[in-house]
mmCIF file of all heavy atoms in Angstrom:
data_model
loop_
_atom_site.group_PDB
_atom_site.id
_atom_site.type_symbol
_atom_site.label_atom_id
_atom_site.label_comp_id
_atom_site.label_asym_id
_atom_site.label_seq_id
_atom_site.Cartn_x
_atom_site.Cartn_y
_atom_site.Cartn_z
ATOM 1 N N THR G 33 -5.210 20.990 12.490
ATOM 2 C CA THR G 33 -5.503 19.958 11.490
ATOM 3 C C THR G 33 -4.898 18.603 11.825
ATOM 4 O O THR G 33 -4.860 17.709 11.074
ATOM 5 C CB THR G 33 -4.897 20.411 10.158
ATOM 6 O OG1 THR G 33 -3.490 20.587 10.289
ATOM 7 C CG2 THR G 33 -5.520 21.707 9.639
ATOM 8 N N ARG G 34 -4.471 18.469 13.077
ATOM 9 C CA ARG G 34 -3.782 17.209 13.418
ATOM 10 C C ARG G 34 -4.749 16.033 13.514
ATOM 11 O O ARG G 34 -4.376 14.896 13.338
ATOM 12 C CB ARG G 34 -3.065 17.355 14.753
ATOM 13 C CG ARG G 34 -1.767 18.170 14.555
ATOM 14 C CD ARG G 34 -1.024 18.396 15.794
ATOM 15 N NE ARG G 34 0.138 19.206 15.516
ATOM 16 C CZ ARG G 34 0.864 19.878 16.365
ATOM 17 N NH1 ARG G 34 0.487 19.743 17.683
ATOM 18 N NH2 ARG G 34 1.850 20.646 16.018
ATOM 19 N N LEU G 35 -6.078 16.272 13.753
ATOM 20 C CA LEU G 35 -6.972 15.174 13.707
ATOM 21 C C LEU G 35 -7.050 14.568 12.345
ATOM 22 O O LEU G 35 -7.026 13.321 12.109
ATOM 23 C CB LEU G 35 -8.372 15.603 14.133
ATOM 24 C CG LEU G 35 -9.425 14.523 14.251
ATOM 25 C CD1 LEU G 35 -9.006 13.343 15.218
ATOM 26 C CD2 LEU G 35 -10.761 15.100 14.630
ATOM 27 N N GLY G 36 -7.086 15.424 11.309
ATOM 28 C CA GLY G 36 -7.067 14.905 9.956
ATOM 29 C C GLY G 36 -5.837 14.213 9.593
ATOM 30 O O GLY G 36 -5.777 13.265 8.947
ATOM 31 N N ALA G 37 -4.681 14.781 10.153
ATOM 32 C CA ALA G 37 -3.399 14.126 9.831
ATOM 33 C C ALA G 37 -3.344 12.718 10.460
ATOM 34 O O ALA G 37 -2.766 11.801 9.945
ATOM 35 C CB ALA G 37 -2.261 14.997 10.439
ATOM 36 N N LYS G 38 -3.983 12.604 11.635
ATOM 37 C CA LYS G 38 -4.006 11.258 12.307
ATOM 38 C C LYS G 38 -4.746 10.246 11.447
ATOM 39 O O LYS G 38 -4.274 9.099 11.329
ATOM 40 C CB LYS G 38 -4.648 11.365 13.657
ATOM 41 C CG LYS G 38 -4.486 10.182 14.539
ATOM 42 C CD LYS G 38 -5.378 10.179 15.808
ATOM 43 C CE LYS G 38 -5.343 11.456 16.506
ATOM 44 N NZ LYS G 38 -6.197 11.432 17.733
ATOM 45 N N VAL G 39 -5.811 10.633 10.811
ATOM 46 C CA VAL G 39 -6.574 9.731 9.983
ATOM 47 C C VAL G 39 -5.764 9.264 8.801
ATOM 48 O O VAL G 39 -5.680 8.144 8.430
ATOM 49 C CB VAL G 39 -7.879 10.378 9.488
ATOM 50 C CG1 VAL G 39 -8.581 9.507 8.473
ATOM 51 C CG2 VAL G 39 -8.814 10.677 10.671
ATOM 52 N N LEU G 40 -5.030 10.252 8.167
ATOM 53 C CA LEU G 40 -4.177 9.950 7.059
ATOM 54 C C LEU G 40 -3.084 8.966 7.512
ATOM 55 O O LEU G 40 -2.687 8.025 6.785
ATOM 56 C CB LEU G 40 -3.484 11.159 6.485
ATOM 57 C CG LEU G 40 -4.447 12.155 5.696
ATOM 58 C CD1 LEU G 40 -3.634 13.359 5.306
ATOM 59 C CD2 LEU G 40 -4.932 11.388 4.418
ATOM 60 N N ALA G 41 -2.549 9.169 8.726
ATOM 61 C CA ALA G 41 -1.481 8.296 9.180
ATOM 62 C C ALA G 41 -1.979 6.869 9.378
ATOM 63 O O ALA G 41 -1.283 5.899 9.093
ATOM 64 C CB ALA G 41 -0.919 8.809 10.504
ATOM 65 N N LEU G 42 -3.207 6.722 9.821
ATOM 66 C CA LEU G 42 -3.784 5.389 10.042
ATOM 67 C C LEU G 42 -3.924 4.655 8.707
ATOM 68 O O LEU G 42 -3.725 3.413 8.573
ATOM 69 C CB LEU G 42 -5.089 5.460 10.749
ATOM 70 C CG LEU G 42 -5.030 5.909 12.261
ATOM 71 C CD1 LEU G 42 -6.415 6.022 12.762
ATOM 72 C CD2 LEU G 42 -4.248 4.887 13.035
ATOM 73 N N VAL G 43 -4.272 5.423 7.671
ATOM 74 C CA VAL G 43 -4.397 4.784 6.348
ATOM 75 C C VAL G 43 -3.034 4.259 5.870
ATOM 76 O O VAL G 43 -2.977 3.239 5.149
ATOM 77 C CB VAL G 43 -4.910 5.844 5.336
ATOM 78 C CG1 VAL G 43 -4.866 5.300 3.900
ATOM 79 C CG2 VAL G 43 -6.364 6.281 5.703
ATOM 80 N N ALA G 44 -1.951 4.885 6.365
ATOM 81 C CA ALA G 44 -0.589 4.486 5.859
ATOM 82 C C ALA G 44 0.066 3.499 6.795
ATOM 83 O O ALA G 44 1.211 3.149 6.603
ATOM 84 C CB ALA G 44 0.242 5.722 5.744
ATOM 85 N N THR G 45 -0.599 2.891 7.693
ATOM 86 C CA THR G 45 0.151 2.035 8.658
ATOM 87 C C THR G 45 0.673 0.702 8.048
ATOM 88 O O THR G 45 1.438 0.056 8.750
ATOM 89 C CB THR G 45 -0.855 1.617 9.851
ATOM 90 O OG1 THR G 45 -2.079 1.102 9.296
ATOM 91 C CG2 THR G 45 -1.129 2.794 10.705
ATOM 92 N N ALA G 46 0.326 0.396 6.844
ATOM 93 C CA ALA G 46 0.947 -0.758 6.241
ATOM 94 C C ALA G 46 2.420 -0.572 6.039
ATOM 95 O O ALA G 46 3.185 -1.549 6.062
ATOM 96 C CB ALA G 46 0.272 -1.112 4.909
ATOM 97 N N THR G 47 2.881 0.660 5.914
ATOM 98 C CA THR G 47 4.265 0.944 5.696
ATOM 99 C C THR G 47 4.871 1.907 6.684
ATOM 100 O O THR G 47 6.081 1.929 6.809
ATOM 101 C CB THR G 47 4.474 1.581 4.250
ATOM 102 O OG1 THR G 47 3.602 2.660 4.122
ATOM 103 C CG2 THR G 47 4.136 0.570 3.184
ATOM 104 N N LEU G 48 4.076 2.717 7.330
ATOM 105 C CA LEU G 48 4.551 3.708 8.310
ATOM 106 C C LEU G 48 3.798 3.679 9.570
ATOM 107 O O LEU G 48 2.622 3.425 9.559
ATOM 108 C CB LEU G 48 4.471 5.110 7.656
ATOM 109 C CG LEU G 48 5.255 5.400 6.435
ATOM 110 C CD1 LEU G 48 4.966 6.795 5.932
ATOM 111 C CD2 LEU G 48 6.752 5.216 6.629
ATOM 112 N N VAL G 49 4.493 3.954 10.663
ATOM 113 C CA VAL G 49 3.827 4.210 11.925
ATOM 114 C C VAL G 49 3.841 5.693 12.146
ATOM 115 O O VAL G 49 4.886 6.261 12.328
ATOM 116 C CB VAL G 49 4.494 3.457 13.100
ATOM 117 C CG1 VAL G 49 3.819 3.857 14.418
ATOM 118 C CG2 VAL G 49 4.447 2.043 12.874
ATOM 119 N N ALA G 50 2.667 6.361 12.094
ATOM 120 C CA ALA G 50 2.603 7.796 12.322
ATOM 121 C C ALA G 50 2.299 8.002 13.834
ATOM 122 O O ALA G 50 1.540 7.267 14.414
ATOM 123 C CB ALA G 50 1.530 8.392 11.490
ATOM 124 N N GLY G 51 2.883 9.044 14.421
ATOM 125 C CA GLY G 51 2.827 9.148 15.816
ATOM 126 C C GLY G 51 1.838 10.086 16.426
ATOM 127 O O GLY G 51 2.198 11.017 17.100
ATOM 128 N N ALA G 52 0.602 10.047 16.094
ATOM 129 C CA ALA G 52 -0.384 10.876 16.701
ATOM 130 C C ALA G 52 -1.246 10.051 17.666
ATOM 131 O O ALA G 52 -2.130 9.328 17.261
ATOM 132 C CB ALA G 52 -1.326 11.445 15.636
ATOM 133 N N PRO G 53 -0.964 10.105 18.972
ATOM 134 C CA PRO G 53 -1.636 9.217 19.940
ATOM 135 C C PRO G 53 -3.057 9.620 20.118
ATOM 136 O O PRO G 53 -3.467 10.771 20.179
ATOM 137 C CB PRO G 53 -0.857 9.460 21.239
ATOM 138 C CG PRO G 53 -0.272 10.837 21.116
ATOM 139 C CD PRO G 53 0.006 11.001 19.633
ATOM 140 N N ALA G 54 -3.966 8.599 20.317
ATOM 141 C CA ALA G 54 -5.360 8.828 20.543
ATOM 142 C C ALA G 54 -5.558 9.399 21.928
ATOM 143 O O ALA G 54 -6.589 9.890 22.217
ATOM 144 C CB ALA G 54 -6.125 7.614 20.300
ATOM 145 N N GLN G 55 -4.556 9.306 22.823
ATOM 146 C CA GLN G 55 -4.754 9.671 24.198
ATOM 147 C C GLN G 55 -4.300 11.052 24.556
ATOM 148 O O GLN G 55 -3.911 11.384 25.663
ATOM 149 C CB GLN G 55 -4.036 8.646 25.157
ATOM 150 C CG GLN G 55 -4.426 7.223 24.908
ATOM 151 C CD GLN G 55 -3.514 6.551 23.947
ATOM 152 O OE1 GLN G 55 -2.923 7.155 23.095
ATOM 153 N NE2 GLN G 55 -3.371 5.244 24.010
ATOM 154 N N ALA G 56 -4.247 11.968 23.576
ATOM 155 C CA ALA G 56 -3.686 13.270 23.784
ATOM 156 C C ALA G 56 -4.433 14.065 24.883
ATOM 157 O O ALA G 56 -3.849 14.880 25.543
ATOM 158 C CB ALA G 56 -3.724 14.126 22.501
ATOM 159 N N GLY G 57 -5.684 13.793 25.119
ATOM 160 C CA GLY G 57 -6.414 14.452 26.101
ATOM 161 C C GLY G 57 -6.553 13.706 27.374
ATOM 162 O O GLY G 57 -7.528 13.838 28.126
ATOM 163 N N ALA G 58 -5.568 12.818 27.725
ATOM 164 C CA ALA G 58 -5.620 11.969 28.894
ATOM 165 C C ALA G 58 -5.440 12.821 30.094
ATOM 166 O O ALA G 58 -5.028 13.907 30.070
ATOM 167 C CB ALA G 58 -4.481 10.975 28.792
ATOM 168 N N PRO G 59 -5.868 12.227 31.313
ATOM 169 C CA PRO G 59 -5.761 13.006 32.540
ATOM 170 C C PRO G 59 -4.331 13.414 32.887
ATOM 171 O O PRO G 59 -3.409 12.747 32.592
ATOM 172 C CB PRO G 59 -6.275 12.033 33.581
ATOM 173 C CG PRO G 59 -6.130 10.650 32.982
ATOM 174 C CD PRO G 59 -6.344 10.893 31.508
ATOM 175 N N ALA G 60 -4.240 14.531 33.507
ATOM 176 C CA ALA G 60 -2.920 15.086 33.904
ATOM 177 C C ALA G 60 -2.340 14.293 35.071
ATOM 178 O O ALA G 60 -3.016 13.535 35.736
ATOM 179 C CB ALA G 60 -2.998 16.576 34.276
ATOM 180 N N ASP G 61 -1.033 14.538 35.366
ATOM 181 C CA ASP G 61 -0.424 13.866 36.512
ATOM 182 C C ASP G 61 -1.263 14.209 37.751
ATOM 183 O O ASP G 61 -1.647 15.303 37.972
ATOM 184 C CB ASP G 61 0.998 14.401 36.619
ATOM 185 C CG ASP G 61 1.972 13.871 35.573
ATOM 186 O OD1 ASP G 61 1.529 12.999 34.801
ATOM 187 O OD2 ASP G 61 3.044 14.387 35.459
ATOM 188 N N GLY G 62 -1.294 13.178 38.606
ATOM 189 C CA GLY G 62 -2.089 13.383 39.804
ATOM 190 C C GLY G 62 -3.523 12.814 39.631
ATOM 191 O O GLY G 62 -4.188 12.564 40.597
ATOM 192 N N GLU G 63 -3.995 12.687 38.402
ATOM 193 C CA GLU G 63 -5.337 12.142 38.142
ATOM 194 C C GLU G 63 -5.210 10.737 37.649
ATOM 195 O O GLU G 63 -6.282 10.149 37.272
ATOM 196 C CB GLU G 63 -6.044 13.047 37.119
ATOM 197 C CG GLU G 63 -6.184 14.499 37.600
ATOM 198 C CD GLU G 63 -6.880 15.352 36.527
ATOM 199 O OE1 GLU G 63 -7.342 14.801 35.476
ATOM 200 O OE2 GLU G 63 -6.889 16.596 36.640
ATOM 201 N N GLY G 64 -4.085 10.175 37.480
ATOM 202 C CA GLY G 64 -3.922 8.847 37.017
ATOM 203 C C GLY G 64 -2.595 8.766 36.241
ATOM 204 O O GLY G 64 -1.977 9.745 35.930
ATOM 205 N N ALA G 65 -2.227 7.508 36.006
ATOM 206 C CA ALA G 65 -0.937 7.301 35.262
ATOM 207 C C ALA G 65 -1.043 7.762 33.825
ATOM 208 O O ALA G 65 -2.120 7.788 33.229
ATOM 209 C CB ALA G 65 -0.605 5.759 35.279
ATOM 210 N N PRO G 66 0.070 8.296 33.238
ATOM 211 C CA PRO G 66 0.037 8.714 31.853
ATOM 212 C C PRO G 66 -0.473 7.591 30.943
ATOM 213 O O PRO G 66 -0.070 6.447 31.163
ATOM 214 C CB PRO G 66 1.476 9.119 31.570
ATOM 215 C CG PRO G 66 2.061 9.397 32.880
ATOM 216 C CD PRO G 66 1.413 8.440 33.856
#
Side-chain angles (χ1 to χ4, degrees):
T33 61
R34 284 178 184 164
L35 181 58
K38 190 192 312 182
V39 173
L40 286 176
L42 290 173
V43 173
T45 51
T47 53
L48 297 177
V49 175
Q55 304 94 334
D61 287 351
E63 299 175 11

